[in-house]
Amino acid sequence: MRRLNFSRFPFAALLAICAACALTGGLGACNREDPVEPGATFGDGASPAAHRPTIAFIMKTLNNPFFVDMEVGAREAAERLGVELIVQAPERELDIERQMQMVENMIQRKVDAIVITPNGSAEIIPAIVKANAAGIPVLIVDTRIDAEAAREAGAMTVTFIGSDNHEGGRIAGEFLAGRLGDRGEVAVLEGIPGHETADARLGGFKEGIAEASAVRIVASQPANWERDQGFNVAQNMLQAHPDLNAIFAANDMMALGAIEAISAAGKSRQILVVGFDATDDAREAIGAGRMLGSVAQYPAAMGSVGVEKALEAVNGAAIDEEIGTKVEMIHEANLAD
Amino acid sequence: MPGPASQDAVLTLSGVRKEFPGVLALDGVDFELRGGEVHALVGENGAGKSTLMKIISGAYRMTRGEMRMEGREVRVRNPRHAQDLGISIIYQELNLVPHLTVEENIFLGREPRTPLGLIDAGQIRSKCERLLVDLGVGISPAVRVSTLGVAEMQMVEIAKALAFEARVLIMDEPTSALTDRETETLFATITDIKSRGVSIIYISHRLEEIFRIADRATVMRDGRIVATHDVEGLSTGQLIREMVDREVNDHYPKQPAPIGSVVLGVENLRAGTRVRGVSLELRAGEVVGLAGLMGSGRTELARAIFGADPIDSGRVTIHGVDLTPSSPNAAIRAGMGFVTEDRKGEGLVLQFSVCQNVTLPAIRSMSRAGVIDRAAERAAANRAIADLHIKTPTAEAQVSNLSGGNQQKVVLSKWLGIGARVLIFDEPTRGIDVGAKIEIYTLMNKLAGEGVAILMISSDLPEVLGMSDRILVMNEGRIAGELSRAEATQEKVLALAVDPVAGAA
Amino acid sequence: MSTSRREWLLLHGRELGGIGGLILLCFGLWILTPYFLTVSNLVNVAQQTAINAIIAVGMTYVIITAGIDLSVGSILAFSGVILARALNADAPLPVALFAAIGAGAALGVVNGMLITYGRLPPFISTLGMMSVARGLALIVSDGRPISGFSESLRFLANGDLIGIPMPVVITGIVMIAGQFCLKRTWFGRYVYAIGGNEEAARLSGINITFVKVAVYGLAGALSALAAIVLTARLNSAQPTAGAMYELDAIAATVIGGSSLMGGEGSVVGTLIGALIMGVLRNGLNLLDVSSFVQQTVIGSAIIAAVLIDMAIKRRRV
């Protein structure tokens, strides 16, 4: 009867693959402005002059405007310096395993330097060790790695480039306490627990409000950096604390979620919201008076400095262990600057 | 009721050939359907009837050949196209959407629209009412199809075909699930729509129906047409001879086997609403027929004995040991087997090969340390194929490619490999051809001869009378009476099945 | 062609086709980038595929029974933090590994019991378990990653056996055992029978409850095994790990030829599906394709594989 049924899978796989190849083939070609001759990159004898340095920039994710800005800065610097730049990022910010795979793949790609914004402070360390073993310099941007774990594993990084998150949290705390008249109930939306960035911002914020003894933190819960979780957690906080005066969110995504929750509760403009990152959406909210302020970081600067320093590292220059990019409180008064 | 059919052909097929990979299903079929005739199509399962009908109704495409509708050549692209051409088919397993209403089903996909493009409910209702009244059916257009009985659903299918202005209506085993009265109603309807000039291709294994209703009959065998006859003057013997290509002298080759001690005992069994206190005994070597109307609780009794449905109270014993099964697994361990009524739904794993189906209940005992002994498995399957004359290219062929009769043999063979002491057959020969039936009866004889106790549920009274040593008749969840082989007649069985009090009197 | 050879082709045609497709994909990447077809990159891809492949073996069993398991990613996270907790409490490595696998299997068994005794649809019970296991992982870990383990654990990710990296060795063992069990044991036969026709299987004396509980338990245990490899690889167990891994596993299984309707599929097919996904991801990275486009390409590959599959099925009627 129907004897020959081996037809099922082959065609399926075949077409999927042809489709994939066609797509990637086309894109691959147009992404590489200057197709590298196989021999040029394969052979060890290629002279540095003929060899355009390739820098891989592995971001946390690209569905957050912060990292999109960072990519813009990095690409601008790459163009200026004549560097071939590869930007890759996992689909989700939590996906550390995927980030590690990307580092591994870039090692296979034999790039000259790798810049990483780690999705996990400790988890990224094995990937750094692998890059070290391959002799590729690693630069860390935005989120610090776990220094102790790095020392234990013998992971070497060239530098850390990022804003001072502790300082940012501190100025946010001072600013908010001032606007509250040094008294009131504050709730905090934390980032992903265990993240160095999240911890630094929270620690700084606590320090910033410490001098105003009548400002109390009545609730502090993680909303994992995400807007929808920010909305949900804030909504619950509003239920639990009807007299809440202000919310500090450790990033703007969560802050914007909190603003929606406040508006849904009919308490718009009664509860002050301070965020972090000063994204475009946040600036707009500040301009419209829905948000009190946000701590500006300069992700584009981090991106461009990252590429600049990576190139310096490739060329063997000495680089500072830590390079700060500035933080600044943005509010209605200085929004236009 | 052969009536005058107009002599011009509505539908002609010539030189139709259909190949499936590795199989030639139809080989040069010529077929002609005349206007306003009822044309019976008979043949054993696997003869090619279904394939031919699927080609006519657009479900398959022919490999080669030609089809003409009223003289014009047509290439049927799909079932919908066939309907547009005026060809409708009513399958054995009806093709209605249960949760839609009668009228929604009849006009499904072709709802009349108002000028605004909305479904014109008023027009649907009035058209539907007219159709149903014309058919003499008292069904409301607004009821859900799921609430209807099988016979009523069939009427809805016929109404649907007429709504498409079908000129050719194919009916595949339309009476297999109907009672006698419902069958009479169906025949009246067929006569009626025939008088409107609709031609009907009628497929049935029940030869007596063909003599009642058909004008002509075409016999198929092995993918070819054997002969086409006017039914007038035709004999049953000739039809069967042509179908099976051999003489069939005895439909029911019952051989008495020595009856031994009680194997299966059922005491006051109650399960659900359909089994209400049943006691019975089955002895080694005995074939006990279980008759009764549809809904009398026969299948439910079998399922309860086998542990397929939960039991409320009562006991089941095997060789006097209480083994009231909690699951089919327990029943099988106790030595029972159950050949289910619904082959495809409950009997077979259609993706499996013949071999894998045959050995399914026994595969664990054919394994060592969990690993299947492939040689033992293959040997068991080949033995079953040889013993039951299962027609299959190899043991590895997918069971879904086999004809109904051969599939039924596969279901049966599952229980031979485990050495069952008690076998329950539920409608073992429904919908299968004469040749396969006789092979199944022969197998029953052989099993009984080996001391297996058999309980055979059947709606086919001649079969029950012909094959049973004893007949139990069920009515409303109870055993209404028992008849010995000698005293049983169709009338007595029916009397008990319909009215236990009168029957006993 | 001899009968036995034809039968062999018939049985393994799908896998052969998949391998052919995979080779074609690799050939395409070889043309497009010099970095793809090197021994070190192929080893790299094999390691990266390991975690998805291990989970997908369990998913294959589940999908063949016509079920689905949405909780594997969360069970992975839970088993991972159990492993980390046990190691941090100075449990010997074998004990910690056993605890992790036991934890994964236990949650899988709960899935199976909800589906059989509780009569919940697999989609619902495992959807619930997805959240329960994630919550348990967060509770056990206090919501924080647990990092820093001994070399003996890290060996499971970084070590090798006669030159083959441990994750690849582990995946290989799981694949061979999984395929053997599915094709050669009565248990595997029962798995197919239940997916093909559950009622027929039950009436043939198969203990449906036992088989289903075992299958979901196996899926949980394999998620735990994947958690061990992942934890060793990252030197850290995260309660947030494994999010959406269930979808990767389902995708690998489906690309590998399993039908969500049940009764069809094989571990070898699934391995090929996982490799196709792994090679695609690796190749797209090497080619510097934007991560947005990568998602689109992989999604398209899944859809295309199933579409063609269905078209061929229809044509075969």
Side-chain angles (χ1 to χ4, degrees):
Chain A
M1 314 238 154
R2 286 189 236 142
R3 300 293 303 270
L4 309 171
N5 82 349
F6 61 81
S7 47
R8 197 160 125 83
F9 189 77
F11 292 104
L14 214 109
L15 185 116
I17 283 148
C18 291
C21 286
L23 258 171
T24 55
L27 290 162
C30 58
N31 270 7
R32 279 187 288 176
E33 295 160 14
D34 181 9
V36 186
E37 287 299 314
T41 37
F42 248 160
D44 293 320
S47 67
H51 178 99
R52 222 176 116 185
T54 305
I55 293 170
F57 208 132
I58 314 279
M59 302 209 176
K60 286 190 180 184
T61 177
L62 280 173
N63 52 30
N64 178 336
F66 184 83
F67 295 103
V68 175
D69 286 348
M70 191 182 288
E71 185 188 3
V72 169
R75 289 215 180 275
E76 175 269 315
E79 181 128 339
R80 174 159 45 84
L81 300 169
V83 167
E84 187 180 341
L85 181 69
I86 297 174
V87 177
Q88 295 282 322
E91 296 155 29
R92 280 159 294 120
E93 200 168 328
L94 290 171
D95 200 345
I96 176 68
E97 156 69 11
R98 184 83 188 102
Q99 206 175 33
M100 177 159 177
Q101 290 182 7
M102 287 173 168
V103 173
E104 288 171 345
N105 291 341
M106 288 305 119
I107 295 169
Q108 295 298 329
R109 178 75 173 67
K110 303 190 194 313
V111 296
D112 297 295
I114 302 178
V115 186
I116 310 174
T117 58
N119 276 356
S121 298
E123 293 81 354
I124 198 67
I125 287 168
I128 297 171
V129 173
K130 289 189 180 185
N132 290 161
I136 300 173
V138 176
L139 295 86
I140 303 297
V141 170
D142 177 53
T143 300
R144 275 171 216 276
I145 58 168
D146 184 323
E148 195 190 335
R151 197 166 46 245
E152 259 173 45
M156 306 292 290
T157 55
V158 174
T159 182
F160 169 75
I161 301 156
S163 25
D164 188 335
N165 283 303
H166 186 89
E167 173 64 13
R170 203 189 56 76
I171 61 174
E174 272 183 11
F175 174 74
L176 186 59
R179 289 301 174 98
L180 286 172
D182 288 346
R183 60 187 311 107
E185 294 189 354
V186 180
V188 178
L189 296 176
E190 304 168 14
I192 293 171
H195 263 210
E196 185 273 338
T197 311
D199 294 350
R201 289 178 187 178
L202 186 59
F205 180 76
K206 284 178 180 164
E207 199 180 300
I209 62 169
E211 285 158 33
S213 55
V215 175
R216 285 192 307 127
I217 294 178
V218 293
S220 182
Q221 281 185 23
N224 294 345
W225 300 130
E226 286 176 19
R227 189 167 182 152
D228 57 338
Q229 292 195 40
F231 178 89
N232 292 336
V233 174
Q235 204 164 42
N236 297 341
M237 288 172 162
L238 291 171
Q239 289 292 327
H241 305 282
D243 299 328
L244 200 65
N245 300 105
I247 293 178
F248 170 64
N251 79 348
D252 279 341
M253 300 285 264
M254 297 188 292
L256 291 164
I259 287 169
E260 300 289 339
I262 290 166
S263 139
K267 293 187 173 178
S268 286
R269 292 164 204 266
Q270 295 168 33
I271 297 177
L272 307 179
V273 178
V274 172
F276 210 115
D277 294 344
T279 60
D280 288 348
D281 283 354
R283 286 168 189 269
E284 198 185 310
I286 293 166
R290 284 177 287 132
M291 188 163 163
L292 183 62
S294 181
V295 179
Q297 298 191 75
Y298 294 88
M302 289 183 211
S304 61
V305 174
V307 172
E308 283 162 17
K309 295 295 166 191
L311 183 61
E312 285 176 28
V314 172
N315 292 334
I319 297 166
D320 290 344
E321 262 183 42
E322 204 164 317
I323 298 163
T325 52
K326 68 171 176 176
V327 289
E328 193 182 0
M329 193 70 216
I330 300 290
H331 46 86
E332 206 168 354
N334 66 2
L335 189 62
D337 301 348
Chain B
M1 59 198 83
S6 82
Q7 293 298 304
D8 5 305
V10 179
L11 179 73
T12 35
L13 292 130
S14 40
V16 172
R17 182 180 173 90
K18 175 69 186 173
E19 293 164 13
F20 293 111
V23 172
L24 182 57
L26 292 178
D27 183 10
V29 167
D30 300 312
F31 179 79
E32 179 203 73
L33 183 66
R34 295 176 188 158
E37 75 166 339
V38 175
H39 194 136
L41 192 60
V42 297
E44 294 189 272
N45 285 79
K49 304 184 303 271
S50 301
T51 308
L52 184 62
M53 293 308 108
K54 283 182 174 169
I55 284 174
I56 295 175
S57 61
Y60 289 163
R61 291 194 201 186
M62 58 182 105
T63 310
R64 212 183 301 151
E66 189 186 76
M67 174 164 155
R68 288 178 179 276
M69 190 76 186
E70 283 160 352
R72 229 156 26 84
E73 179 168 3
V74 288
R75 293 224 157 263
V76 188
R77 289 191 296 270
N78 52 46
R80 172 89 190 223
H81 183 212
Q83 287 178 350
D84 292 338
L85 291 168
I87 302 168
S88 280
I89 182 162
I90 301 175
Y91 286 106
Q92 206 171 337
E93 53 275 8
L94 301 171
N95 217 352
L96 298 169
V97 185
H99 59 265
L100 293 185
T101 63
V102 169
E103 58 189 9
E104 284 165 344
N105 265 290
I106 289 178
F107 289 98
L108 191 63
R110 328 195 161 214
E111 295 84 356
R113 305 277 167 152
T114 62
L116 286 174
L118 301 172
I119 290 174
D120 189 341
Q123 204 189 336
I124 289 183
R125 176 60 55 84
S126 63
K127 273 191 173 178
C128 188
E129 273 170 349
R130 197 172 333 123
L131 271 169
L132 294 170
V133 168
D134 281 356
L135 280 174
V137 192
I139 307 172
S140 158
V143 301
R144 285 188 181 212
V145 161
S146 56
T147 63
L148 300 178
V150 179
E152 289 170 316
M153 289 192 201
Q154 214 161 44
M155 289 301 167
V156 174
E157 285 265 27
I158 293 172
K160 187 174 174 179
L162 295 179
F164 292 151
E165 290 166 4
R167 277 163 304 142
V168 174
L169 181 59
I170 303 168
M171 303 178 96
D172 188 3
E173 295 276 356
T175 59
S176 61
L178 300 190
T179 63
D180 285 351
R181 241 187 54 214
E182 289 166 343
T183 303
E184 287 305 322
T185 314
L186 176 71
F187 286 174
T189 306
I190 290 176
T191 311
D192 174 42
I193 56 180
K194 174 179 149 182
S195 70
R196 304 189 203 179
V198 176
S199 307
I200 294 163
I201 302 176
Y202 188 94
I203 301 176
S204 179
H205 286 300
R206 298 185 178 172
L207 298 184
E208 68 277 9
E209 289 178 358
I210 288 160
F211 289 94
R212 280 272 322 268
I213 190 102
D215 300 300
R216 294 198 296 162
T218 289
V219 182
M220 288 189 77
R221 193 177 66 227
D222 297 334
R224 294 195 182 83
I225 303 277
V226 178
T228 298
H229 304 279
D230 285 330
V231 167
E232 236 181 298
L234 187 67
S235 76
T236 317
Q238 189 183 353
L239 265 187
I240 293 179
R241 240 182 344 267
E242 286 177 353
M243 279 162 66
V244 302
D245 194 22
R246 63 181 170 264
E247 286 290 338
V248 177
N249 299 317
D250 190 356
H251 282 28
Y252 303 107
K254 170 73 182 163
Q255 288 167 8
I259 310 271
S261 58
V262 174
V263 182
L264 175 77
V266 174
E267 291 166 34
N268 205 18
L269 195 68
R270 290 173 181 275
T273 55
R274 289 270 175 89
V275 181
R276 304 193 289 191
V278 172
S279 300
L280 59 85
E281 282 184 345
L282 236 60
R283 291 168 177 275
E286 195 178 34
V287 177
V288 174
L290 186 61
L293 300 178
M294 273 187 164
S296 60
R298 295 170 304 170
T299 296
E300 290 79 2
L301 173 63
R303 288 179 64 90
I305 294 173
F306 191 64
D309 289 334
I311 291 171
D312 298 328
S313 66
R315 269 173 20 117
V316 176
T317 60
I318 300 244
H319 288 303
V321 182
D322 188 344
L323 276 168
T324 308
S326 52
S327 69
N329 188 15
I332 291 165
R333 281 162 195 254
M336 273 194 238
F338 181 27
V339 178
T340 52
E341 177 184 6
D342 179 359
R343 264 196 308 273
K344 290 187 178 170
E346 299 174 335
L348 296 170
V349 179
L350 291 174
Q351 293 101 321
F352 272 14
S353 68
V354 172
C355 173
Q356 288 169 327
N357 269 293
V358 167
T359 57
L360 189 56
I363 200 70
R364 223 171 145 166
S365 61
M366 291 180 189
S367 305
R368 220 167 302 144
V371 180
I372 295 168
D373 179 346
R374 288 182 150 190
E377 187 193 11
R378 185 75 62 102
N382 285 333
R383 203 160 49 236
I385 289 168
D387 285 356
L388 274 74
H389 309 289
I390 298 172
K391 274 187 220 154
T392 174
T394 68
E396 306 306 322
Q398 217 175 306
V399 78
S400 57
N401 292 336
L402 267 54
S403 69
N406 284 303
Q407 287 183 348
Q408 183 68 358
K409 289 184 205 167
V410 172
V411 176
L412 276 173
S413 65
K414 285 166 64 174
W415 303 110
L416 306 184
I418 60 158
R421 308 307 302 152
V422 177
L423 275 177
I424 305 172
F425 289 79
D426 194 355
E427 303 285 1
T429 63
R430 171 184 287 176
I432 68 173
D433 58 73
V434 180
K437 273 186 188 179
I438 290 171
E439 276 170 314
I440 286 169
Y441 297 144
T442 311
L443 178 75
M444 281 189 183
N445 283 333
K446 183 169 162 250
L447 290 167
E450 291 165 3
V452 175
I454 294 172
L455 184 65
M456 181 182 73
I457 299 173
S458 177
S459 298
D460 185 346
L461 275 185
E463 174 176 289
V464 174
L465 295 170
M467 289 305 297
S468 310
D469 293 301
R470 231 167 4 114
I471 296 163
L472 299 172
V473 185
M474 263 190 103
N475 182 304
E476 309 254 320
R478 295 188 183 87
I479 302 288
E482 180 179 330
L483 299 163
S484 71
R485 181 175 176 82
E487 64 182 326
T489 62
Q490 292 212 22
E491 291 71 25
K492 286 184 188 172
V493 171
L494 265 178
L496 281 168
V498 175
D499 183 354
V501 182
Chain C
M1 197 162 23
S2 73
T3 311
S4 64
R5 201 158 124 216
R6 196 154 78 180
E7 275 163 14
W8 191 84
L9 261 184
L10 191 129
L11 282 169
H12 299 284
R14 193 181 304 160
E15 284 91 350
L16 288 177
I19 291 168
L22 188 58
I23 290 171
L24 200 74
L25 175 62
C26 292
F27 180 77
L29 287 169
W30 176 61
I31 299 284
L32 289 169
T33 167
Y35 306 108
F36 177 73
L37 206 64
T38 64
V39 173
S40 68
N41 190 52
L42 294 183
V43 169
N44 179 38
V45 171
Q47 287 196 57
Q48 293 181 355
T49 304
I51 288 161
N52 185 22
I54 292 170
I55 300 172
V57 171
M59 190 64 81
T60 304
Y61 275 72
V62 168
I63 284 179
I64 290 174
T65 66
I68 193 91
D69 191 343
L70 300 177
S71 64
V72 287
S74 298
I75 291 179
L76 175 140
F78 176 68
S79 314
V81 298
I82 291 286
L83 173 74
R85 277 277 161 163
L87 288 172
N88 279 2
D90 291 327
L93 183 63
V95 173
L97 296 180
F98 189 79
I101 291 179
L107 293 188
V109 164
V110 171
N111 272 334
M113 288 168 65
L114 289 169
I115 290 159
T116 52
Y117 294 111
R119 292 170 193 272
L120 285 179
F123 189 94
I124 303 298
S125 54
T126 61
L127 184 68
M129 181 56 75
M130 174 165 126
S131 196
V132 169
R134 180 71 63 196
L136 289 175
L138 288 163
I139 292 166
V140 171
S141 63
D142 283 333
R144 283 166 188 277
I146 306 169
S147 308
F149 304 110
S150 67
E151 268 313 307
S152 50
L153 176 73
R154 311 256 2 249
F155 177 79
L156 294 175
N158 298 338
D160 62 76
L161 197 72
I162 49 167
I164 306 167
M166 282 308 287
V168 180
V169 172
I170 294 170
T171 309
I173 293 169
V174 168
M175 287 293 153
I176 292 166
Q179 177 79 356
F180 183 84
C181 173
L182 201 52
K183 294 288 180 185
R184 295 290 186 88
T185 68
W186 59 260
F187 181 79
R189 183 67 60 79
Y190 282 8
V191 169
Y192 280 110
I194 288 173
N197 186 339
E198 185 166 332
E199 184 64 7
R202 192 170 78 97
L203 293 177
S204 297
I206 294 174
N207 185 339
I208 307 283
T209 305
F210 168 76
V211 176
K212 282 196 174 174
V213 169
V215 163
Y216 283 90
L218 178 72
L222 287 173
S223 300
L225 185 59
I228 291 167
V229 176
L230 182 69
T231 305
R233 195 163 139 80
L234 297 174
N235 194 19
S236 170
Q238 297 172 293
T240 51
M244 313 257 273
Y245 280 22
E246 54 281 348
L247 298 186
D248 276 359
I250 293 168
T253 311
V254 168
I255 292 177
S258 293
S259 159
L260 290 180
M261 307 301 290
E264 284 177 47
S266 80
V267 169
V268 170
T270 296
L271 172 63
I272 294 162
L275 280 173
I276 287 175
M277 289 177 71
V279 167
L280 262 179
R281 284 202 169 131
N282 170 265
L284 295 173
N285 274 170
L286 295 181
L287 290 169
D288 186 20
V289 174
S290 123
S291 57
F292 299 158
V293 177
Q294 287 185 29
Q295 295 186 43
T296 314
V297 171
I298 289 169
S300 308
I302 297 169
I303 292 169
V306 177
L307 269 183
I308 296 170
D309 209 46
M310 278 165 49
I312 288 165
K313 246 187 190 169
R314 221 173 299 143
R315 214 185 51 189
R316 268 176 41 207
V317 169

